[in-house]
Amino acid sequence: MLESQVTTDSELERIVAEEENCLARVLGRLAERRKEREQPRPDLANYDVRLLELRDQIASARLEDVPPLVQEMERLQMLANHLRESEAVEIDSRSPYFGRMVLEENGKRREVLIGRATYLDTKFGVRIVDWRDAPVSRLYYRYEEGDEYDEVFGEREVSGFVVTRRSVVIHDGVLRRIATPQGTFVRSGHGWKRLESAAARLTGGAGKALRPEQHHRPGKLGVGNDGGEDKHLKEITALIDARQFELITRADSGLVVIQGGAGSGKTTIGLHRLAYLAFRDPRRFRPDRMLVVVFNDALVRYISQVLPALGVQGVAVRTYVDWARRLRESLYPRLTDQYREDTPSVVTRLKKHPAMLRVVDRYVAELASEIEAELAEAGPAALELWRKSAGRPLAHRLHAVAALGQGEGAKSLDTDQRVALERITKAGLRRARDVVGAWADMLSDRSALGAWFAEFAPGEFNAGALDRAHAYCAQNCHEVVTDFETRAPIKEDKGRGLRRKSSEQADLSSEDDFEDDSDLAPRTGIDGLDIHEKAALDVEDDTLLLMLHQKLRGPLTRGTTGKEPIVYEHVLVDEAQDYSPVELSVIFETVSKAKSITLAGDVQQRLLLDNGFSDWNTVLGELGMAHVEVEPLKLSYRSTYEIVQFARAVLGPLASPDEPVAPRHGAPVELFEFGHAGDAVAHLSEALRELMQTEPSASVAVIARYPEQADAYYHGLSRAEVPYLRRVADQDFSFKAGIDVTDVRQVKGLEFDYVVLVDVSDNSYPNDDEARHLAHIGATRAAHQLWVLATGKPSPLLPRELLDAAS
């Protein structure tokens, strides 16, 4: 920012004088109005007295006199209401307006001020209109200074000329900033100064952000490296630096964990590694034997476009929630398909806690111990075989022991032992097959939960928290199991079209021992409502059910009748820091023995703080992979040095000790302070309209903390006729040029040429860990330029030097 010589800038002096005179006039009138309101006002009392008199007259008047009396009464009532409404209008003298126009119509000029409430005092020349609904405010948003306008207000056509159009920032009744076509002027500690024109513009960034189809374009990932020995990797190696090439071409077995800051290329490395493996061994790494797990639906669509650009077709790209839901529904189709939206946070934290890994193991181990104690009746041979199979799924162990009582093995057992073996293994298989029952039993036993968490996570849940979680789980499990048992067909074939499956068809699941050749349509009560409507799972239950299936019944399969287990040769998990160790464990169990897995993530970009993910070393230890080294990436290719430094400052104490390296410099991060959203919308709409005119191929994200804030900005920008505007509320990004207005939880993993963070105030971004992570995520979506708009008091997370520069 450059400061001009204030003494020689006559244009600055003229404009500042005009705006300060206007503000003084408005504040003076508002002060007088406050004094007037403090004086007794007989007006309303007189109206009330007159209304009572009219009411009494109507009661005793002749019939023909009533209509005019009623009409007079309605007129007085309307006048009284109007007076009350005018008295109720509050104009905040600390920031009474944010825009000023001078309009010329039919040779006459009038001044209109744009604020967040309407106050008209034409006697004293004060006209403040509400930016949200006053028709005349459309002129402020749609036209520039010097434009002619032709609008219809109601049924009246209005034509005129915008003589003056300026936006101002007023804090605590002091004029602090003026934006005009002639320049932008700010009040500093040394008086007024003119800002360098480029400081208040979005410019020069079109095409900086990587689009899905560009992942094969040379030069976008890094500095380039032509040292690869494999001639068939020419296209890939042209994109990457030496460090990236090393990670991509790692051995095709084992776990690779990539920790990289925003824009470091960790996702791209994971995708290129997948493409590299598919090229090196296409028979093993077939598309149907690979899986990409991402955090949100936007990344599903994005990566689904990236992989074909890398020459890989047909690989499943799923969010974890969708992947787990599909598998659970295919394995247990009669379980409710509804999810609760009001799951208590303590329940979510419990079900995702790393201790659940040990809890499930302990539950299965105790069940195995009970079966082992019973197997003593079947003789030492059965016990020895049982113990040798330790570590395998419970149903597989039981099948192995049951085989001892058949064929040649039966000769080693006497009659009593064979009978006992058959009885025990059948009963054991029923228990091993009942995954739903095991899930409910595990979560509904308060005593066992208390003992397990005291052992595996001491101090993590106090008695009150466990009581609340248990009470919820016990009730919910009861509803789900009751619904499940009601939906399952009964064994007797009494006219319901049920038939027993053949032994060849029978699945391990007790729920599928019978087929139903009816549609099993949901049954309804006499009121027409589904009798199962109360039963609903928590989203986290899918993970627990799948894990119990793996421990009790064996590998996951595609459906209840599928015999072939799901085995992936390679799995890429992106944004791994937002998955719990419990979820990662279920994924890992679907990978072949070679364990070819890539985890890519950044602990500084956590969206979910209650998912049990603490740090890489702890999580890998929970998964039994403490020996795996984390591969750090320090170069940040997406964002400029200025944006990276801002994002790091926002993280504060959560920032990694290893400072990222951003080799590219760009425009400074700009902070703009406004009194309220209407002011911010006005400023932003001007900048975005200009940007879309000069750079129509640019991608822009306007990012709010909350969806409601994004709605308000979208409506305001729409009202200002900003072109190429889209409201993204459900991950429905088009990945095309234009302006996406959204909230910060939608943009994880994406990038844009320009990013504008809006409402970065102390209310939206307070000093807590969640706000730090979210502000960091939002800022690092920008490839070229970042603006920060603060409405009201700026967030305490913002760097001090940025606050000082804006003041």
Side-chain angles (χ1 to χ4, degrees):
M1 298 181 184
L2 299 177
E3 185 173 355
S4 300
Q5 294 295 323
V6 177
T7 56
T8 61
D9 196 336
S10 58
E11 190 173 53
L12 179 152
E13 293 176 348
R14 176 181 60 82
I15 292 174
V16 168
E18 290 177 3
E19 295 306 321
E20 288 191 327
N21 288 337
C22 175
L23 177 60
R25 187 175 74 254
V26 171
L27 293 181
R29 178 54 194 148
L30 292 178
E32 292 175 3
R33 184 168 176 267
R34 282 196 300 272
K35 291 180 181 179
E36 292 172 0
R37 292 181 62 184
E38 292 172 359
Q39 301 299 321
R41 292 293 304 271
D43 302 354
L44 284 174
N46 291 339
Y47 280 125
D48 291 339
V49 170
R50 181 60 180 148
L51 286 169
L52 289 173
E53 291 176 353
L54 286 171
R55 184 194 65 182
D56 294 340
Q57 291 179 31
I58 290 173
S60 59
R62 292 178 301 176
L63 188 61
E64 61 268 22
D65 294 331
V66 169
L69 290 173
V70 170
Q71 186 176 7
E72 175 66 9
M73 191 174 186
E74 290 176 347
R75 186 184 70 84
L76 288 173
Q77 183 69 55
M78 189 166 54
L79 289 172
N81 290 339
H82 177 73
L83 183 58
R84 287 191 179 93
E85 289 173 2
S86 64
E87 289 291 310
V89 171
E90 291 290 341
I91 299 294
D92 187 356
S93 60
R94 295 172 301 177
S95 180
Y97 59 92
F98 58 82
R100 176 172 173 265
M101 291 188 299
V102 176
L103 307 176
E104 184 175 300
E105 297 173 3
N106 300 321
K108 295 182 180 180
R109 292 191 177 188
R110 60 177 174 140
E111 179 186 74
V112 179
L113 305 176
I114 312 299
R116 55 180 171 178
T118 296
Y119 171 62
L120 302 178
D121 196 339
T122 55
K123 180 179 179 182
F124 293 91
V126 176
R127 299 180 184 87
I128 302 176
V129 299
D130 193 324
W131 72 280
R132 293 163 294 190
D133 54 20
V136 73
S137 69
R138 293 205 303 264
L139 303 180
Y140 179 77
Y141 287 103
R142 293 181 179 180
Y143 298 93
E144 302 294 337
E145 184 172 308
D147 288 351
E148 294 182 354
Y149 60 84
D150 189 355
E151 292 281 342
V152 176
F153 296 153
E155 298 181 355
R156 186 168 65 98
E157 185 174 332
V158 178
S159 299
F161 178 76
V162 181
V163 179
T164 301
R165 183 193 179 282
R166 297 169 185 167
S167 63
V168 296
V169 175
I170 302 170
H171 274 314
D172 294 327
V174 177
L175 184 65
R176 298 186 179 275
R177 186 185 185 100
I178 308 168
T180 76
Q182 294 77 26
T184 300
F185 312 109
V186 296
R187 182 192 295 271
S188 69
H190 305 288
W192 284 89
K193 64 182 180 181
R194 181 191 293 265
L195 294 185
E196 182 183 3
S197 60
R201 296 179 60 206
L202 296 167
T203 183
K208 292 294 192 297
L210 195 61
R211 305 283 174 86
E213 68 276 6
Q214 294 173 327
H215 275 259
H216 65 284
R217 194 176 75 190
K220 287 301 291 184
L221 279 182
V223 297
N225 172 38
D226 58 359
E229 297 180 358
D230 193 330
K231 63 181 181 181
H232 298 287
L233 282 177
K234 181 178 179 181
E235 184 178 358
I236 292 179
T237 56
L239 300 175
I240 60 177
D241 60 28
R243 177 63 171 149
Q244 293 170 332
F245 181 79
E246 176 191 345
L247 293 174
I248 289 170
T249 57
R250 280 288 178 90
D252 56 12
S253 62
L255 173 64
V256 175
V257 181
I258 304 170
Q259 158 64 39
S264 60
K266 56 187 178 297
T267 301
T268 309
I269 290 172
L271 295 174
H272 278 74
R273 184 171 186 238
L274 183 147
Y276 170 79
L277 295 174
F279 170 77
R280 289 291 301 269
D281 192 349
R283 296 186 64 183
R284 174 184 168 191
F285 295 101
R286 303 193 323 249
D288 63 327
R289 290 296 184 95
M290 294 194 289
L291 173 69
V292 179
V293 180
V294 298
F295 183 72
N296 55 38
D297 291 329
L299 281 170
V300 169
R301 290 192 294 275
Y302 184 87
I303 290 176
S304 295
Q305 296 177 49
V306 170
L307 286 175
L310 298 178
V312 181
Q313 303 277 355
V315 174
V317 183
R318 301 274 187 271
T319 64
Y320 175 80
V321 170
D322 181 52
W323 178 81
R325 175 187 57 79
R326 291 186 186 208
L327 283 175
R328 192 265 304 162
E329 287 182 345
S330 69
L331 290 167
Y332 301 97
R334 292 189 177 99
L335 266 176
T336 176
D337 59 358
Q338 301 299 308
Y339 289 105
R340 294 201 179 278
E341 298 181 356
D342 57 350
T343 307
S345 59
V346 66
V347 174
T348 298
R349 190 162 68 90
L350 181 138
K351 290 181 178 181
K352 285 191 170 188
H353 198 283
M356 287 303 299
L357 293 167
R358 311 283 86 82
V359 168
V360 171
D361 284 342
R362 178 61 61 84
Y363 178 86
V364 175
E366 291 179 358
L367 182 55
S369 296
E370 294 176 12
I371 295 173
E372 181 173 333
E374 295 173 359
L375 280 173
E377 295 182 47
L383 272 176
E384 181 181 2
L385 188 58
W386 173 260
R387 290 168 179 165
K388 282 183 178 180
S389 64
R392 298 178 61 193
L394 199 60
H396 291 194
R397 298 179 70 187
L398 287 163
H399 279 302
V401 173
L404 184 66
Q406 303 169 4
E408 292 295 322
K411 296 179 180 179
S412 62
L413 305 176
D414 59 32
T415 301
D416 289 342
Q417 289 174 332
R418 284 198 304 274
V419 171
L421 183 63
E422 182 178 2
R423 172 176 51 80
I424 294 166
T425 54
K426 281 187 176 181
L429 281 171
R430 279 196 298 271
R431 297 184 68 181
R433 293 166 181 166
D434 187 10
V435 170
V436 176
W439 163 79
D441 186 34
M442 183 180 71
L443 294 175
S444 302
D445 191 330
R446 173 63 178 86
S447 176
L449 279 177
W452 290 332
F453 275 91
E455 179 180 354
F456 302 131
E460 291 288 313
F461 296 87
N462 59 35
L466 274 178
D467 286 342
R468 292 193 300 274
H470 168 260
Y472 172 90
C473 290
Q475 176 64 29
N476 202 48
C477 289
H478 172 74
E479 291 175 0
V480 170
V481 170
T482 300
D483 172 72
F484 175 73
E485 292 174 346
T486 303
R487 291 176 185 266
I490 57 175
K491 291 188 177 182
E492 292 80 6
D493 181 6
K494 295 182 179 179
R496 291 192 57 221
L498 302 177
R499 62 182 184 276
R500 181 179 292 275
K501 293 182 180 179
S502 67
S503 58
E504 292 79 19
Q505 292 174 314
D507 186 67
L508 286 175
S509 173
S510 59
E511 65 167 308
D512 293 313
D513 286 345
F514 294 84
E515 290 182 322
D516 184 356
D517 54 9
S518 70
D519 289 333
L520 270 181
R523 289 180 290 168
T524 57
I526 58 175
D527 57 359
L529 296 177
D530 184 357
I531 63 174
H532 303 294
E533 64 179 2
K534 284 184 63 178
L537 294 166
D538 298 324
V539 174
E540 298 78 20
D541 288 326
D542 285 346
T543 298
L544 297 180
L545 287 163
L546 294 179
M547 178 176 284
L548 282 165
H549 184 107
Q550 291 169 327
K551 302 289 185 181
L552 293 174
R553 295 177 57 174
L556 305 177
T557 58
R558 302 185 190 278
T560 57
T561 59
K563 297 299 179 183
E564 183 180 356
I566 296 173
V567 179
Y568 297 109
E569 288 298 331
H570 183 74
V571 170
L572 164 62
V573 181
D574 191 35
E575 305 292 353
Q577 76 279 355
D578 282 320
Y579 302 101
S580 70
V582 187
E583 293 164 339
L584 292 175
S585 174
V586 171
I587 296 172
F588 283 14
E589 286 298 312
T590 64
V591 185
S592 66
K593 292 182 179 179
K595 294 299 178 188
S596 179
I597 303 169
T598 303
L599 296 184
D602 178 16
V603 294
Q604 298 179 129
Q605 295 188 66
R606 293 176 62 191
L607 271 181
L608 305 177
L609 302 184
D610 60 353
N611 68 342
F613 191 109
S614 50
D615 59 80
W616 284 114
N617 292 333
T618 302
V619 169
L620 292 174
E622 295 282 358
L623 296 171
M625 296 184 175
H627 60 284
V628 176
E629 293 186 5
V630 178
E631 306 292 345
L633 296 174
K634 295 185 178 180
L635 280 174
S636 178
Y637 291 112
R638 175 194 301 151
S639 302
T640 64
Y641 173 83
E642 290 77 8
I643 295 170
V644 169
Q645 290 301 306
F646 170 85
R648 183 172 173 81
V650 163
L651 277 175
L654 304 180
S656 167
D658 297 324
E659 186 170 349
V661 177
R664 184 166 56 89
H665 284 264
V669 176
E670 294 285 352
L671 169 64
F672 301 91
E673 297 183 47
F674 303 97
H676 46 79
D679 192 356
V681 167
H683 178 80
L684 184 57
S685 61
E686 293 178 28
L688 292 177
R689 281 198 301 265
E690 180 183 359
L691 176 64
M692 289 293 99
Q693 288 174 358
T694 58
E695 300 179 23
S697 62
S699 62
V700 184
V702 177
I703 303 174
R705 170 76 189 266
Y706 301 108
E708 295 79 8
Q709 294 170 330
D711 288 339
Y713 273 83
Y714 175 75
H715 292 312
L717 294 172
S718 298
R719 184 181 179 86
E721 296 187 337
V722 174
Y724 312 117
L725 198 64
R726 297 180 292 260
R727 173 70 175 98
V728 178
D730 191 25
Q731 301 289 316
D732 47 343
F733 291 93
S734 64
F735 306 111
K736 295 179 180 179
I739 303 166
D740 293 318
V741 184
T742 187
D743 63 276
V744 69
R745 293 185 178 276
Q746 304 283 326
V747 298
K748 186 71 173 292
L750 307 181
E751 60 182 276
F752 304 85
D753 298 330
Y754 300 90
V755 165
V756 181
L757 299 182
V758 298
D759 276 355
V760 187
S761 64
D762 58 344
N763 291 327
S764 296
Y765 291 92
N767 189 3
D768 61 43
D769 288 357
E770 182 181 28
R772 289 186 182 277
H773 282 296
L774 292 176
H776 175 268
I777 289 170
T780 52
R781 300 311 96 198
H784 175 70
Q785 193 171 357
L786 172 66
W787 274 10
V788 180
L789 275 56
T791 305
K793 185 178 180 181
S795 166
L797 307 183
L798 296 175
R800 172 49 53 188
E801 56 271 21
L802 193 62
L803 292 169
D804 292 341
S807 62

